Amino acid sequence: MRRFLRSFLWLVCAFVLATKVVEWTTEAWFFEELGYFPVFRRLMLMRGALFGSGTAFSALLLWLNLRHAKRVVAWQRIIPAQRLIPLHDKRILNRFRRFWASAALLFLVILSGSYAAVHDLVVWHTLAFENTGIIDPIFGRDLAFYLFQLPALNFLWTFVFILLWMNLLLVALIYAYEDVWQTRGRISTISPEGTRHLSTLVAALLLWKALGYRLSAWNMITARGEPLGGLDYTALHFRLPIFVPLAVFAVLAALALWRASRLKANETRAARRVLLFWAGANLFLGTLVPLSIENIYVKPRRDIFAPTLLEQRREATRTAFSIHNVREADFRADWNDLESNVPLWTPEFLKTYFNRTQRRGDDFIIGSAHFDRYQIDGAPRTVFVAPREATGNGIGNDLIFCDATKISLDGQPLIYDAAHFPEVRAGHPEIVFGSGQTELPPDFLSRGRNAIPDFWQRQAVSAEPTPYSLISSEKYQFGLNLKPFWRRFLLSWRFFDKRLLGAQNQKLIWHRQVVERCKQIAPYFVYGEPRPALLQGRIVWLIAAHSVADSYPLAFASQNSKINYLRTGAVAVVDAYDGGVQFFALDESDCLLQAHRRLFPEIFQDFSLMPTDLRAHLALSPLQFAAQSDLWARVLAPSPDEILQKKPLVPTSLRQAVPWNNTQTVAQAATPFFAAHNLHWIQLFSEETQFSDEKSLSTPVNAALVGEMTNGQPQLRFWRAKNAISLPQIPEKGLFSFNSVLIGDELLMRGVQIPFLNRPLYAFWFSGKSGFQQDLTALIAAKWSGKGRN
């Protein structure tokens, strides 16, 4: 039985290893097809080196400790009268124990190597280490140390610390099993040799912990190690210096423990005293002393102590999130600009509307609509663009263009037909590689279609597709050729699908979701939502690639996250037809992007090489703008006194009823408009954190932040209201669109209301100035008068 289990274990290990080799081999074909095979080779070499190093180090450490524990146990002599289990039965039990122990140790070793391999990025960053010239004011170290070297040191320390704990627990189990559990109680303690072994491991843990205190000091000024109470005067001037005596106490405790384990008597009692002393020192110095100083000394003088550190943190935040160029602006526009640049619709409504009217059957689904501008019929038009993607493994078909500012004669969104407008016609309308949005909007499912229950409809649309697709080798020039049998065999092994063995006349494509496709090539970025665009008759996806970190010194972190460094370092362009991927560098001041370009120069192209027509469709990343808006409102816009009194600006949650299902609501954050040929995002802010009327939310607006992308760089401008402007009370029925624009010192809101009884849509403007509101309302009534507009 034992021989069978051993053979079965080795067979399973061989199969898992062979499957991983097959996966790596087939993945290399994906990179080779896209022209990025050198990138794949470099990534795999680094991961393999880390896996081998981690596995070898953990195996060596485990082997040394377990070998020594086995020798100590062999020296221990237990007479038969003391044994809980007879010696004959113990030998039979040990046979199975050794097998399962070997399997567990093999699993732990492989797990250690895998943990090391997935941290290849921090090792890559240390190889690309270059000083930036930016010095932190606390320790005087270069910024590159925190972004590149400190994460690698944290990984190394955590890896060794976990291994030491693992060895300590395994060795303690061995001694407990052999010296305590095997006897009838006459030997109630572990042998002196075993105690020395355990004490040595605990002493090593304490020494390693002493090194960890130094890392904790560096981490404290980053979001990764920031104290729970925040990086304030107490943390900087009292918690930070305490790490030095704590490290000294850890070293002294390690030496005392090692010394106590060599005593002939009362070694257990001495070890307990040492550990209790170290734990008490941590509790007293690390917790009680800072809390006492904070409440007795710092709080009464916070106005004196806080401003210096706060200003340092504000300056670091400006640089980390590229918010150093915010300036006050006065927005001017005439009526024609407002009509042609401020959208009537919202993406939420259009996604629902398109899925009801433009799907072309249940094999297609409409993705999110994105605000953009195109030359249509000889004039620039602001439009919403939405992709018609396929469910499952099908192929999507074309983009839908809807005028953002006009309404058709029948009171519906004005859709541009490709048959009448060649500018919106794609030469390759097939969307083979899509965004992967296979979920219908909730309000679309709320009523069901064709009397199909919502549950079954959602299951049909959300069915998981197979990880690959087969396409015709005659129709498509891209894809992986499946004529060689060995290639079909390896792919059928990887996907566990025998149907691939008979697909010699077809081609295979996989990683069809464009974000997943980009992650395979450049996994060190955080990607935003794909935006579809039409470039010279070809459909492409624009995906913002963000560089993020949690170790920027002194910078505040974005709300509800540990990210305190975020830049839109690059943009990925993916061809929706053949899946080609290109990366264009945007932010040359991004330290992480510079490191990635040094490591993988074949991936990135200069921004100057991006086609001019494609640059026109670049937009400020919503993820970056959301982080910038949050930090500007909480940290940069308020004065130091307002921050200390916890009175920052807060984004307004303008709630609106969802069409056809008035029981649900959505929160509208940043709204878009065009000005000076650039797409702008607006985020409104209020000083009130709680609203008296949750249904209407008549919110007073005090300020706004506007963001745009200029030559690949984010530009921010802020706007302050001379007087707080109350947003209009929103009726519970009929309203689905509500967009904002800033004109001078005035906030205008544009909306569309869906009346009942199939009447045309009613569009309106709202202003905070009552006199201007009356005049503008009369103008709107004359222009629209409920008859619709061409």
Side-chain angles (χ1 to χ4, degrees):
M1 184 63 180
R2 184 182 59 176
R3 185 175 301 175
F4 170 77
L5 291 176
R6 184 181 300 172
S7 302
F8 179 76
L9 177 63
W10 282 111
L11 184 63
V12 170
C13 293
F15 177 77
V16 172
L17 179 60
T19 302
K20 293 300 294 183
V21 172
V22 168
E23 180 182 346
W24 296 331
T25 303
T26 54
E27 200 64 30
W29 299 339
F30 166 77
F31 280 83
E32 188 175 10
E33 181 187 0
L34 293 177
Y36 294 120
F37 181 74
V39 175
F40 174 79
R41 182 176 62 243
R42 223 168 301 158
L43 290 173
M44 292 305 299
L45 286 176
M46 176 59 73
R47 292 170 185 171
L50 288 176
F51 179 83
S53 302
T55 301
F57 181 74
S58 60
L60 178 62
L61 198 60
L62 283 170
W63 179 77
L64 291 175
N65 282 281
L66 296 181
R67 182 170 176 267
H68 182 73
K70 186 177 180 181
R71 287 184 177 181
V72 171
V73 169
W75 296 336
Q76 184 70 18
R77 293 288 183 265
I78 302 176
I79 60 177
Q82 294 177 331
R83 290 192 176 277
L84 181 64
I85 301 177
L87 184 60
H88 178 267
D89 295 340
K90 181 179 180 297
R91 289 174 178 172
I92 297 176
L93 182 63
N94 284 343
R95 293 179 181 178
F96 294 93
R97 182 174 62 89
R98 291 192 187 109
F99 169 77
W100 291 112
S102 301
L105 291 177
L106 180 63
F107 173 76
L108 291 177
V109 168
I110 294 177
L111 187 64
S112 301
S114 301
Y115 177 79
V118 298
H119 286 80
D120 59 325
L121 179 58
V122 298
V123 180
W124 279 119
H125 282 168
T126 57
L127 297 179
F129 174 80
E130 282 190 7
N131 288 332
T132 63
I134 303 176
I135 307 300
D136 81 274
I138 307 302
F139 295 103
R141 287 188 169 271
D142 191 86
L143 173 63
F145 168 78
Y146 295 95
L147 292 182
F148 301 130
Q149 290 185 319
L150 184 58
L153 293 175
N154 287 326
F155 153 69
L156 179 62
W157 185 88
T158 305
F159 180 75
V160 176
F161 189 74
I162 293 175
L163 282 182
L164 290 175
W165 264 110
M166 186 189 306
N167 281 267
L168 176 63
L169 292 177
L170 290 176
V171 170
L173 287 175
I174 291 176
Y175 289 135
Y177 174 77
E178 296 290 349
D179 289 354
V180 178
W181 188 64
Q182 282 294 322
T183 66
R184 297 181 183 274
R186 298 184 182 181
I187 302 178
S188 59
T189 59
I190 299 176
S191 62
E193 293 81 5
T195 302
R196 295 191 187 99
H197 188 189
L198 292 174
S199 299
T200 303
L201 286 175
V202 176
L205 272 170
L206 289 174
L207 290 175
W208 198 248
K209 181 63 177 176
L211 294 177
Y213 283 124
R214 186 54 186 170
L215 288 180
S216 298
W218 288 324
N219 284 320
M220 175 173 280
I221 65 173
T222 70
R224 175 188 175 94
E226 186 173 336
L228 294 178
L231 183 61
D232 53 8
Y233 185 88
T234 304
L236 194 61
H237 291 85
F238 294 98
R239 290 184 185 273
L240 192 60
I242 284 174
F243 284 128
V244 176
L246 288 179
V248 172
F249 284 141
V251 173
L252 294 178
L255 296 176
L257 184 62
W258 182 83
R259 175 61 179 169
S261 65
R262 266 60 185 170
L263 299 177
K264 295 184 179 180
N266 296 328
E267 63 276 3
T268 303
R269 184 179 303 173
R272 291 174 182 173
R273 290 175 179 174
V274 170
L275 294 178
L276 287 176
F277 168 77
W278 176 73
N282 272 270
L283 177 62
F284 179 74
L285 293 178
T287 304
L288 297 181
V289 171
L291 285 178
S292 301
I293 293 175
E294 168 71 17
N295 292 298
I296 298 175
Y297 179 72
V298 176
K299 275 189 176 181
R301 302 169 179 84
R302 188 176 298 277
D303 295 340
I304 302 174
F305 295 148
T308 302
L309 176 60
L310 181 58
E311 189 54 41
Q312 291 176 343
R313 300 201 66 185
R314 282 155 62 110
E315 184 59 33
T317 305
R318 291 186 183 97
T319 305
F321 289 87
S322 189
I323 326 178
H324 52 272
N325 58 348
V326 182
R327 65 184 187 276
E328 190 170 2
D330 185 10
F331 296 91
R332 298 293 181 183
D334 57 24
W335 171 253
N336 292 327
D337 290 336
L338 294 181
E339 276 198 307
S340 60
N341 294 322
V342 182
L344 281 170
W345 319 106
T346 58
E348 293 81 9
F349 163 74
L350 287 180
K351 184 175 182 180
T352 302
Y353 177 80
F354 289 156
N355 275 290
R356 291 184 181 278
T357 61
Q358 303 292 321
R359 287 185 65 191
R360 296 183 183 175
D362 292 336
D363 293 334
F364 295 97
I365 190 170
I366 310 301
S368 298
H370 295 270
F371 194 54
D372 211 333
R373 174 178 282 175
Y374 284 83
Q375 285 285 337
I376 300 177
D377 200 17
R381 302 285 181 88
T382 52
V383 297
F384 277 101
V385 184
R388 184 184 289 108
E389 300 193 57
T391 59
N393 289 320
I395 295 178
N397 184 268
D398 217 342
L399 299 177
I400 303 171
F401 289 81
C402 168
D403 197 296
T405 61
K406 294 183 179 180
I407 297 176
S408 64
L409 289 174
D410 58 352
Q412 300 298 320
L414 180 60
I415 297 176
Y416 291 106
D417 188 357
H420 298 89
F421 298 94
E423 298 89 340
V424 298
R425 185 183 305 156
H428 290 285
E430 300 94 334
I431 302 179
V432 182
F433 299 88
S435 64
Q437 295 182 3
T438 58
E439 284 286 347
L440 287 171
D443 52 326
F444 180 83
L445 291 168
S446 61
R447 296 182 62 185
R449 297 175 66 249
N450 302 325
I452 300 177
D454 297 346
F455 173 78
W456 295 109
Q457 186 177 352
R458 184 180 292 274
Q459 291 295 319
V461 174
S462 304
E464 286 291 334
T466 56
Y468 68 90
S469 297
L470 295 174
I471 58 177
S472 172
S473 59
E474 298 179 356
K475 182 179 179 181
Y476 298 99
Q477 300 300 318
F478 56 89
L480 188 64
N481 193 349
L482 298 180
K483 287 186 177 180
F485 174 77
W486 59 272
R487 183 174 287 181
R488 299 198 305 273
F489 174 75
L490 293 181
L491 287 169
S492 63
W493 187 343
R494 173 182 178 172
F495 297 115
F496 295 103
D497 194 342
K498 62 182 180 180
R499 293 177 297 178
L500 288 171
L501 294 174
Q504 63 270 19
N505 296 324
Q506 294 176 294
K507 290 185 176 181
L508 181 139
I509 55 176
W510 70 101
H511 300 311
R512 292 185 56 187
Q513 295 185 11
V514 291
V515 172
E516 177 191 0
R517 203 170 182 82
C518 296
K519 284 182 178 179
Q520 294 295 117
I521 301 171
Y524 33 78
F525 284 126
V526 174
Y527 294 93
E529 183 181 1
R531 288 173 53 88
L534 193 61
L535 177 65
Q536 298 177 355
R538 298 184 70 92
I539 301 174
V540 298
W541 296 95
L542 302 177
I543 312 168
H546 306 92
S547 301
V548 299
D550 61 354
S551 56
Y552 197 97
L554 296 180
F556 283 93
S558 180
Q559 197 168 20
N560 300 325
S561 74
K562 284 288 187 179
I563 295 176
N564 71 342
Y565 179 89
L566 191 149
R567 298 286 189 89
T568 307
V571 59
V573 181
V574 184
D575 195 301
Y577 178 69
D578 60 19
V581 182
Q582 293 178 295
F583 287 87
F584 293 94
L586 294 182
D587 192 351
E588 295 294 341
S589 64
D590 180 9
C591 302
L592 294 180
L593 176 66
Q594 294 175 8
H596 298 152
R597 296 193 71 175
R598 288 192 294 267
L599 293 169
F600 307 102
E602 55 275 290
I603 293 182
F604 300 96
Q605 303 180 47
D606 291 334
F607 178 73
S608 59
L609 300 178
M610 178 181 286
T612 305
D613 295 340
L614 193 58
R615 295 186 198 178
H617 301 293
L618 288 179
L620 180 61
S621 165
L623 178 61
Q624 183 177 13
F625 183 62
Q628 290 173 330
S629 301
D630 167 61
L631 291 167
W632 178 81
R634 288 192 298 115
V635 178
L636 302 179
S639 65
D641 292 337
E642 291 173 332
I643 295 177
L644 295 177
Q645 296 172 10
K646 296 182 179 181
K647 293 182 178 180
L649 297 170
V650 293
T652 62
S653 294
L654 181 61
R655 297 187 180 274
Q656 52 191 350
V658 177
W660 295 295
N661 186 0
N662 295 322
T663 60
Q664 298 184 15
T665 58
V666 294
Q668 180 183 4
T671 58
F673 75 98
F674 268 96
H677 305 288
N678 285 324
L679 175 60
H680 291 64
W681 293 95
I682 301 179
Q683 176 65 68
L684 304 178
F685 294 95
S686 172
E687 291 181 352
E688 294 191 12
T689 57
Q690 295 181 354
F691 308 109
S692 57
D693 187 359
E694 189 66 23
K695 291 184 179 180
S696 63
L697 288 183
S698 180
T699 308
V701 175
N702 302 87
L705 191 68
V706 182
E708 64 173 323
M709 181 77 79
T710 304
N711 295 325
Q713 302 300 316
Q715 300 290 331
L716 301 176
R717 289 175 285 175
F718 72 89
W719 173 91
R720 285 189 180 274
K722 293 183 178 179
N723 299 307
I725 301 172
S726 295
L727 298 182
Q729 293 186 357
I730 303 174
E732 295 183 1
K733 296 182 179 180
L735 185 68
F736 70 82
S737 177
F738 210 56
N739 293 309
S740 56
V741 65
L742 307 174
I743 303 298
D745 61 348
E746 184 64 20
L747 174 67
L748 301 181
M749 311 296 293
R750 192 178 193 186
V752 179
Q753 187 175 15
I754 301 180
F756 297 95
L757 302 178
N758 297 322
R759 293 178 181 176
L761 298 175
Y762 172 72
F764 66 93
W765 289 86
F766 172 84
S767 170
K769 293 183 178 179
S770 59
F772 186 48
Q773 178 186 3
Q774 293 174 359
D775 298 338
L776 193 56
T777 302
L779 179 60
I780 291 295
K783 277 181 169 288
W784 296 88
S785 66
K787 297 180 180 180
R789 181 175 174 85
N790 292 325

